[in-house]
Amino acid sequence: MLQIIVFYSLAFVAVLMSGIVITRKNPIAGALAMVILFADLAALYGLLDAPAIATFQLLVYAGGIMVLVIMSIMLFNLKESELQLDFQIKDMVMGLAVVVLGLVCPIGVALFAFSSWPQVSDTTFGGLHEIGNVLVRGKWFPFEILSFVLIVATIGAIIFSKRKL
Amino acid sequence: MNNLESTHHFLIANTWIIWIVLAPLVGALINTGLFFSQNTLTQSQKQKISAIIACTAAGMAFLISFFLFWHMHSQTIFVQTLFTWINSSVFKVRFALNVDSLSSIMIVFITFVAFCIHVYSSGYMDHDEGFIRYFIFLNLFLSSMALLILSSNLLLMFIGWEGVGICSYLLISFWYQDPKNVQAGEKAILLNRIGDVGFLLGLIVVFSTIHSFNFIDLEAHRHLFSPGLLTFVDLCFFWGATAKSAQIPLYVWLPDAMAGPTPVSALIHAATMVTAGVYLLVRLNILYFLSPEASCVIAITGVLTAFFAATVATVQNDMKKILAYSTISQLGYMMLAVGVGDYASGIFHLISHGFFKACLFLSAGAVMHLLMQEQDIRKMGGLLKTFPLTALVFLVSGLALAGFPPFSGFFSKDAILWGAFSHPNPLIPWLPTALYTMGLITAFLTAFYISRMIILIFWGEYRGNALNHTHSLPWVMSVPMVILAIGSLIVGWIGIPKAIGGKDWINHFLHSTFFLIPRFTTNQDHLQVVLMLISTLVSASGIILAWIRYVRYPKTRLENQPQGFLKLLDHKYYIDEFYQKTIGRCTSWVAGWISEWGIENQILGRLVDNIALFFEKLSKGYQKIQSGLVRNYLFYMILGAAVFFIVFVCNH
Amino acid sequence: MIWGSVGPVQYLDLALILFGIGTIGVLTRKNFFILLMSLELMLNSVNLSLIVFSKFYGNTDGNILVLFVIAISASEVCVGLAILIAMVRIRNSVDVDLWRELKH
């Protein structure tokens, strides 16, 4: 019962925060809502027996990425004129209709196949120990590729933000 | 029964057959090289070389043909399969040549006549600018004709059929500087196209029924044709043959085809190509034998053509026109033989006609050659003393045409008339008598017009003014003429009927080709002899009538304008005008209607315009979608994904 | 009864709703920052569903994949912000509708 209450309150906060992200005219407000959303999602991951991922979520997303975004927003020091409500209600309704009718409804119907959890007795599932084991033993090659991608992205970001391209 | 049929023939592989087709083709290719070559040879040297090459090629083809013919025994088929030409699942066609008794005798006859005419042409075409071009076409023609005769299946035969058609067109329009000759060639090829539709239709029906084009398969699977279908196929092929062999209603091209050089008229438009239609029908003999309805149509068409063409020939004044109508008339006889089911007689007459008609044309060509291309027999006369050799050759071949014994035309024509009289008709009981009577009247007319022609050319006094410029006939022209004249005397002896003590060799020889058709025998030998006497009398009376009419009163007969019925004959029954006024007018009216305001503007034009307009509007609308905003493109992507998801969920 | 228990379907529906909201944000907003955050939102919803499926099938690979997605999205944000800097330098604005070069 407690689990149900926790899930629905977390879900409610997640939907609310994501709504704030896309409707606020000031990106700072959106960014702060985003931080709350990430923390919220981390809690959900915890509920889903994935404490390791929850930790990474908090560290990388809420701690790293969002700080970067907020710093960028502040760096540009946007003028008041650019903070106008930059979308029309008509667009929003149309997008809502397409998304609800085209994506949410059909996929939501398909999802009823996953109505209950199977019985799993593995208590170590999702722990940091197991994740590390799988990552370094079995998936070491994609892991190395990933590090390479990160380096490339860093170099690319530096080149993009140079004053003279 | 089936077992007997399949073992009826002995198939013997032979690698020489293709060279009958290839030798003239190689000759044509070498001459083409010579035609385009830039070297120091003078024109006359080039002409000599090309004539020697062409004649050698034709001679080689003849020697190989004769060799095969010599080794031909009954029930033998020489076969040569070169390669699989078309190989597409069911549709399999081999490039294969067959020589059975029918095609062996045909190919020997054709290559022999062609060789004679090649030699003759080297004299006749001397001093002509297109000398080498002429021999290229002539060799090409011989090659196509050999392919037509030797092919083992209908599709390959169709290549030869089209090949001879195109060579005929090229040679009719040989002197292309004169638009009239070009028009004559166009007329010939146009009417032949009409016939080709029939041939193709027949091909398609045959293939869809038995899934093969081979003549041997055709004989083996003949029971697959239902009677109605069989009649349809027969009439389709006959339709093709009416164009090629100049039968009613498609014969009108042949008189105009005389626009070509005279040796061409002799070879293509008298002896060989025009008989291809007859050969086709004889080749498919079993199909015609099994369909009395189609045979009836052929017999009636044949005899009507023979009669009408003979009547027209009696009043013509152009030497070559007379011979052209005579050819149409004789082809009608051959069709009559095919129609009554007497295929061997048809081939017999084909061969004897080939000899004497080629000879007649060559003699006429000699007269023209000596008289500065004069063709009007009213401006001749009394040439007997000037050209005795030509007169003799003309006389021999003329008597053969008139059907006077013992010349070849007598035996072959009589074989056809006897066949028409004696074969009972299962559909119309009185038809044999009617066919025989018509044939006899035609024989009378034939004797009359050929005698009239000979008398007007060689008898009496000279009425023209070209005699002063004559020169002598070169040996290359006279020797082939003499050889063909001897041929038109003796070729008939291969088919002397048993009734008068002959062996009827050709009937025996061809029997292995017609083995499926029950041999026709009668014991009315005395009746046959009586009929032969009657036709001799008819032929003689035709000659005598011409003698009375043109030797007694030559002047008045010639200078009077023809009146009444003769005027109708003089204008060839106005058939050309009739075709012009009906089919020609209708076609040009329809074409005009289509191009002026009918389909062209109203339907096709508007259709095209509207299609263009539709796409213009579509692209204008499409432009608006191209906003350049990635946002919008993403929106379209999601719309597409939504469609996909909805379909996916609906399906599960 | 749907509300009575928490099965995979409730988590997945939540992921779906978050994904839809992110999509709407990407489709309708013009501010580059908000666009970027909407993209992050979509990525996170996919992460959520990956975690759910990982638990549902008892397979750790889903968790590993989420880890990879986090790393990739970090580099994506990194490059995206660099592009934004270049864009602001050229156009002096964060409005993505000013970028219409695809039309030409």
Side-chain angles (χ1 to χ4, degrees):
Chain A
M1 192 62 203
L2 180 68
Q3 204 189 11
I4 296 170
I5 294 168
V6 170
F7 170 73
Y8 280 114
S9 48
L10 286 175
F12 175 73
V13 170
V15 173
L16 187 70
M17 289 305 139
S18 55
I20 288 171
V21 169
I22 65 160
T23 48
R24 291 303 94 191
K25 60 181 177 182
N26 195 335
I28 286 288
L32 290 175
M34 204 73 191
V35 173
I36 296 169
L37 179 64
F38 285 148
D40 188 294
L41 281 172
L44 280 171
Y45 294 168
L47 276 182
L48 287 165
D49 297 340
I53 302 299
T55 316
F56 287 127
Q57 174 85 4
L58 270 180
L59 284 177
V60 180
Y61 264 126
I65 296 174
M66 286 326 294
V67 169
L68 186 65
V69 171
I70 289 169
M71 276 188 67
S72 311
I73 295 168
M74 290 173 167
L75 182 72
F76 287 119
N77 193 17
L78 295 170
K79 291 186 276 298
E80 193 62 29
S81 61
E82 295 201 358
L83 296 179
Q84 298 301 319
L85 196 61
D86 58 355
F87 66 93
Q88 284 151 356
I89 300 300
K90 194 184 75 181
D91 281 359
M92 194 66 99
V93 170
M94 202 165 118
L96 189 70
V98 168
V99 167
V100 168
L101 292 177
L103 292 181
V104 178
C105 287
I107 298 177
V109 170
L111 290 178
F112 279 107
F114 307 97
S115 55
S116 61
W117 298 110
Q119 293 299 314
V120 181
S121 55
D122 188 1
T123 50
T124 61
F125 176 78
L128 191 57
H129 187 258
E130 197 192 344
I131 296 248
N133 240 344
V134 174
L135 195 62
V136 180
R137 290 239 172 92
K139 305 276 192 289
W140 61 269
F141 186 69
F143 189 65
E144 290 303 319
I145 295 289
L146 199 64
S147 63
F148 187 71
V149 170
L150 279 169
I151 290 170
V152 169
T154 314
I155 296 169
I158 292 166
I159 289 174
F160 265 127
S161 46
K162 268 170 74 177
R163 208 156 269 282
K164 276 191 176 177
L165 278 174
Chain B
M1 187 66 193
N2 260 329
N3 197 22
L4 181 79
E5 280 169 22
S6 57
T7 57
H8 190 91
H9 297 295
F10 300 112
L11 303 181
I12 300 173
N14 189 305
T15 51
W16 284 94
I17 305 171
I18 186 63
W19 291 103
I20 303 174
V21 179
L22 282 187
L25 191 64
V26 169
L29 289 177
I30 294 173
N31 273 343
T32 312
L34 193 67
F35 182 72
F36 288 111
S37 68
Q38 308 268 332
N39 51 27
T40 53
L41 294 174
T42 61
Q43 184 64 22
S44 70
Q45 280 172 319
K46 270 190 182 181
Q47 285 190 6
K48 236 172 221 164
I49 294 170
S50 75
I52 288 169
I53 289 168
C55 294
T56 313
M60 273 167 63
F62 168 66
L63 285 179
I64 299 165
S65 314
F66 190 75
F67 169 78
L68 289 173
F69 174 70
W70 195 251
H71 289 88
M72 175 66 63
H73 304 288
S74 59
Q75 302 179 351
T76 306
I77 296 183
F78 292 122
V79 293
Q80 182 177 14
T81 305
L82 287 126
F83 51 88
T84 303
W85 175 31
I86 299 171
N87 188 359
S88 152
S89 69
V90 200
F91 193 73
K92 229 172 230 172
V93 182
R94 288 215 168 84
F95 195 99
L97 305 175
N98 281 9
V99 181
D100 61 356
S101 55
L102 173 62
S103 47
S104 77
I105 198 165
M106 281 294 285
I107 197 72
V108 162
F109 150 69
I110 281 163
T111 48
F112 179 69
V113 173
F115 175 64
C116 290
I117 290 171
H118 271 74
V119 174
Y120 177 91
S121 300
S122 65
Y124 185 86
M125 297 302 285
D126 208 10
H127 309 303
D128 195 289
E129 282 181 11
F131 189 88
I132 302 175
R133 189 162 57 91
Y134 174 84
F135 275 105
I136 294 169
F137 294 160
L138 214 56
N139 266 352
L140 206 58
F141 166 78
L142 185 57
S143 177
S144 314
M145 193 70 204
L147 187 63
L148 193 160
I149 298 293
L150 298 174
S151 64
S152 69
N153 57 58
L154 276 165
L155 201 63
L156 205 56
M157 192 179 188
F158 191 63
I159 300 177
W161 183 272
E162 293 298 316
V164 294
I166 202 72
C167 290
S168 154
Y169 163 74
L170 290 170
L171 285 164
I172 293 168
S173 315
F174 182 71
W175 288 310
Y176 56 84
Q177 291 87 347
D178 186 351
K180 259 178 149 177
N181 297 341
V182 178
Q183 279 169 9
E186 280 166 1
K187 189 175 180 180
I189 202 145
L190 211 63
L191 281 158
N192 272 306
R193 287 292 81 69
I194 297 172
D196 290 342
V197 176
F199 195 125
L200 269 178
L201 214 57
L203 273 184
I204 292 163
V205 176
V206 163
F207 188 82
S208 60
T209 310
I210 66 166
H211 300 291
S212 169
F213 287 122
N214 282 352
F215 294 122
I216 293 177
D217 293 346
L218 204 64
E219 284 171 357
H221 299 301
R222 61 186 183 279
H223 54 272
L224 291 176
F225 290 96
S226 65
L229 188 67
L230 197 63
T231 307
F232 178 72
V233 172
D234 288 355
L235 289 178
C236 283
F237 283 119
F238 178 59
W239 173 7
T242 51
K244 198 57 98 188
S245 288
Q247 298 296 296
I248 290 174
L250 298 177
Y251 70 89
V252 289
W253 66 272
L254 190 57
D256 288 12
M258 297 301 137
T262 309
V264 169
S265 308
L267 179 62
I268 300 184
H269 304 120
T272 55
M273 186 196 85
V274 287
T275 61
V278 179
Y279 174 75
L280 170 69
L281 302 194
V282 174
R283 186 38 86 198
L284 302 172
N285 54 74
I286 187 64
L287 298 187
Y288 286 91
F289 178 73
L290 292 174
S291 170
E293 294 87 355
S295 294
C296 258
V297 171
I298 294 168
I300 292 167
T301 313
V303 82
L304 284 179
T305 310
F307 177 71
F308 277 105
T311 54
V312 174
T314 53
V315 297
Q316 295 300 306
N317 289 319
D318 185 325
M319 196 158 57
K320 289 180 76 179
K321 282 273 157 67
I322 297 174
L323 291 177
Y325 277 103
S326 163
T327 304
I328 297 170
S329 172
Q330 300 299 311
L331 288 166
Y333 269 123
M334 297 171 209
M335 285 294 175
L336 169 63
V338 172
V340 298
D342 195 358
Y343 305 106
S345 300
I347 291 297
F348 182 27
H349 193 57
L350 192 163
I351 290 168
S352 72
H353 167 258
F355 273 95
F356 64 69
K357 187 54 65 66
C359 189
L360 277 171
F361 265 111
L362 294 191
S363 331
V367 171
M368 283 165 60
H369 191 67
L370 296 169
L371 289 182
M372 312 303 288
Q373 302 299 322
E374 180 58 61
Q375 295 191 16
D376 194 337
I377 54 174
R378 285 172 301 187
K379 293 180 181 164
M380 298 174 189
L383 297 178
L384 180 61
K385 284 164 237 149
T386 330
F387 315 129
L389 179 70
T390 312
L392 183 67
V393 168
F394 217 121
L395 189 66
V396 169
S397 46
L399 283 172
L401 174 61
F404 200 77
F407 297 94
S408 60
F410 171 72
F411 296 106
S412 57
K413 193 184 289 178
D414 223 60
I416 290 175
L417 289 178
W418 172 245
F421 185 74
S422 60
H423 281 64
N425 192 302
L427 299 175
I428 312 169
W430 50 266
L431 193 64
T433 322
L435 292 176
Y436 175 75
T437 316
M438 288 287 277
L440 211 58
I441 296 169
T442 310
F444 171 77
L445 291 170
T446 309
F448 175 75
Y449 68 69
I450 194 64
S451 311
R452 166 179 178 266
M453 184 177 169
I454 292 172
I455 289 164
L456 287 180
I457 294 174
F458 294 107
W459 211 261
E461 286 174 7
Y462 186 60
R463 299 179 290 273
N465 49 7
L467 205 50
N468 305 331
H469 313 286
T470 55
H471 46 96
S472 65
L473 212 56
W475 68 268
V476 286
M477 287 171 73
S478 54
V479 170
M481 276 161 61
V482 170
I483 291 174
L484 286 176
I486 295 168
S488 42
L489 175 62
I490 64 169
V491 160
W493 300 348
I494 61 175
I496 298 175
K498 285 185 175 137
I500 56 168
K503 280 184 154 175
D504 206 1
W505 174 84
I506 187 157
N507 234 325
H508 282 283
F509 183 73
L510 290 177
H511 183 68
S512 65
T513 302
F514 307 131
F515 68 98
L516 285 171
I517 294 165
R519 190 173 271 203
F520 179 76
T521 48
T522 53
N523 45 12
Q524 298 172 299
D525 281 356
H526 58 283
L527 185 60
Q528 193 177 357
V529 174
V530 169
L531 290 186
M532 285 175 95
L533 283 175
I534 290 176
S535 50
T536 311
L537 281 177
V538 161
S539 166
S541 59
I543 296 169
I544 291 164
L545 182 69
W547 182 269
I548 293 169
R549 199 175 146 87
Y550 291 101
V551 175
R552 280 282 183 82
Y553 313 103
K555 280 254 167 181
T556 50
R557 297 290 181 208
L558 287 174
E559 283 166 8
N560 287 352
Q561 281 297 313
Q563 297 294 327
F565 182 64
L566 289 181
K567 193 179 173 194
L568 182 68
L569 290 185
D570 192 42
H571 287 87
K572 306 145 195 167
Y573 294 104
Y574 295 99
I575 291 290
D576 275 328
E577 287 81 357
F578 173 72
Y579 280 174
Q580 179 62 33
K581 291 246 164 76
T582 53
I583 298 168
R585 283 264 177 91
C586 282
T587 312
S588 54
W589 186 79
V590 170
W593 184 76
I594 287 170
S595 71
E596 286 296 314
W597 56 273
I599 296 166
E600 181 76 27
N601 278 351
Q602 297 300 314
I603 298 177
L604 289 179
R606 283 194 182 183
L607 192 69
V608 171
D609 285 354
N610 281 330
I611 287 172
L613 215 63
F614 168 74
F615 280 108
E616 193 187 327
K617 283 191 174 157
L618 191 73
S619 59
K620 284 249 171 76
Y622 193 64
Q623 267 180 0
K624 283 177 190 155
I625 298 176
Q626 294 282 17
S627 61
L629 292 177
V630 182
R631 230 152 40 90
N632 286 3
Y633 297 161
L634 196 66
F635 181 70
Y636 308 140
M637 194 186 99
I638 285 169
L639 269 183
V643 171
F644 170 75
F645 285 132
I646 290 166
V647 170
F648 181 80
V649 169
C650 286
N651 279 349
H652 288 78
Chain C
M1 57 174 189
I2 277 186
W3 306 95
S5 66
V6 186
V9 63
Q10 279 81 8
Y11 284 98
L12 291 172
D13 280 346
L14 176 63
L16 190 60
I17 289 163
L18 292 185
F19 187 85
I21 291 169
T23 312
I24 294 170
V26 172
L27 286 183
T28 52
R29 298 303 298 257
K30 298 173 187 171
N31 192 318
F32 195 97
F33 287 112
I34 296 187
L35 220 62
L36 213 58
M37 286 190 285
S38 300
L39 273 176
E40 292 300 319
L41 192 55
M42 290 164 81
L43 274 171
N44 270 285
S45 77
V46 173
N47 280 355
L48 179 59
S49 71
L50 276 172
I51 297 282
V52 173
F53 283 120
S54 176
K55 189 184 172 188
F56 184 81
Y57 290 110
N59 191 334
T60 324
D61 285 357
N63 285 356
I64 306 287
L65 199 55
V66 171
L67 206 57
F68 288 173
V69 170
I70 289 171
I72 292 291
S73 75
S75 51
E76 173 236 319
V77 167
C78 174
V79 174
L81 287 174
I83 290 172
L84 182 69
I85 288 168
M87 175 187 167
V88 169
R89 198 170 283 153
I90 295 167
R91 309 258 161 176
N92 203 17
S93 168
V94 291
D95 190 349
V96 289
D97 276 9
L98 292 176
W99 292 62
R100 284 174 171 253
E101 267 74 17
L102 274 180
K103 197 176 181 179
H104 304 295

